[in-house]
Amino acid sequence: MRCGADGVIAAKRLSLRSFEQLSTVGIQLGTAPLAGLYFRHLTFDDVRNVIRDAILKHGVTEIDTAPWYGRGRAELDIGAVLPGLRRLTGRGVVSSASPGDAMAAASVVGAVAAAAPCCSPLASDDLSNSSISIYTKVGRYCARRSQLTAFEQEPGRVDPTDHCYQREPDRDVAPDVVCVHDYTAEGIRKSWEQSKHRLGATVGAQVVGLRLHDAESPDRLAEAMAPGGGLDELVAMRRRGDIRRIGLGMNDPGSILKILAHAEEVAASHVE
């Protein structure tokens, strides 16, 4: 669900009956808003409490993230929050801070979770390395603007805008960090290695799926679908057992259909 402030208000007014069909597939906590992509006035405490509430109070057991979300911020926060959940009780956590953005994000998570019968509160004793599944994305990796290579400086490689909430001081995401689009096999591997580093060894082991992210433009599609390109690399990673699932994190149905038509092997590999 993508929404700004108006979208959050509209979501509150929606009938939740439409979410009942999710009971057989579960729901995922998307971390784009928590990294500042839509809600800018957040602190780490706000983010930590929303994640804890979603898991411990509402029973959400799947998390979706990406390097693009906060230029690595979302993955860093997931890696910092999840290891501490086993030390909590099953009562859930209420944020001590209450900025409007954090409350709006938490209310949508809670409302949707409450509508799905599959989601029930988890006690801390229920948590293990295998109880939370994480999906992250590939197609972008992070780099310092001052250290970009000639390849990375090609037109269209670097996103023109950067969205990230900032801690004071922020020692994790430097001000000149940018996201670079790279849908080659090497770019896919680099993106995945960076994600594992940000998540940490324990949380990184909970990643079950990689999703090709925002490959909608003709240039990105061509790079991803080229022989030996990013799409072939994802299939190879799944075959090697490096990752259990591969999928697409894209918004344009036409581009998705092109990928599926071009690569029957990917379609057979449970593209989500």
Side-chain angles (χ1 to χ4, degrees):
M1 178 183 297
R2 289 194 171 190
C3 54
D6 293 339
V8 171
I9 295 173
K12 293 179 181 178
R13 296 173 180 170
L14 284 174
S15 168
L16 296 178
R17 288 179 297 178
S18 60
F19 291 106
E20 291 177 358
Q21 61 183 328
L22 295 176
S23 60
T24 59
V25 296
I27 357 178
Q28 294 184 359
L29 173 66
T31 56
L34 302 183
L37 196 55
Y38 309 118
F39 306 110
R40 302 304 300 275
H41 304 292
L42 297 173
T43 68
F44 175 66
D45 286 342
D46 297 324
V47 174
R48 176 181 57 202
N49 291 333
V50 169
I51 294 175
R52 286 176 171 177
D53 254 1
I55 294 172
L56 295 178
K57 185 176 180 180
H58 299 295
V60 174
T61 58
E62 296 187 351
I63 298 176
D64 174 84
T65 190
W68 167 233
Y69 301 162
R71 296 173 288 151
R73 164 59 61 212
E75 291 176 329
L76 286 167
D77 284 347
I78 292 169
V81 171
L82 290 188
L85 288 180
R86 289 181 60 85
R87 297 192 293 271
L88 299 175
T89 68
R91 295 177 297 174
V93 179
V94 178
S95 176
S96 58
S98 56
D101 285 346
M103 291 182 68
S107 68
V108 172
V109 170
V112 176
C118 68
C119 294
S120 56
L122 291 178
S124 57
D125 291 342
D126 294 332
L127 292 171
S128 67
N129 287 345
S130 60
S131 62
I132 306 298
S133 298
I134 300 171
Y135 295 78
T136 192
K137 301 183 181 72
V138 290
R140 287 184 180 97
Y141 57 79
C142 295
R144 301 291 291 268
R145 187 180 292 276
S146 59
Q147 300 172 1
L148 293 178
T149 66
F151 170 82
E152 293 166 344
Q153 293 181 54
E154 291 178 356
R157 290 286 177 191
V158 175
D159 283 303
T161 57
D162 297 318
H163 301 279
C164 183
Y165 81 86
Q166 296 292 326
R167 298 184 199 168
E168 293 297 337
D170 193 327
R171 299 183 178 90
D172 299 319
V173 179
D176 68 335
V177 168
V178 295
C179 284
V180 177
H181 290 271
D182 187 347
Y183 298 90
T184 66
E186 182 180 356
I188 297 301
R189 291 191 295 268
K190 184 172 184 177
S191 176
W192 174 220
E193 289 302 318
Q194 285 189 359
S195 291
K196 288 191 289 186
H197 178 75
R198 284 188 290 265
L199 290 165
T202 300
V203 177
Q206 296 172 241
V207 175
V208 299
L210 294 179
R211 291 166 172 165
L212 192 69
H213 200 192
D214 290 344
E216 275 91 355
S217 72
D219 289 345
R220 297 175 192 174
L221 273 175
E223 190 168 77
M225 295 190 298
L231 202 56
D232 286 350
E233 178 62 19
L234 279 173
V235 173
M237 291 172 69
R238 186 179 184 276
R239 283 181 169 175
R240 292 194 301 265
D242 298 341
I243 199 71
R244 286 167 49 191
R245 301 175 183 176
I246 58 175
L248 303 176
M250 298 167 59
N251 300 305
D252 176 48
S255 298
I256 293 172
L257 290 175
K258 286 180 181 179
I259 288 180
L260 296 180
H262 178 83
E264 295 180 0
E265 193 171 22
V266 174
S269 299
H270 307 291
V271 172
E272 298 169 324

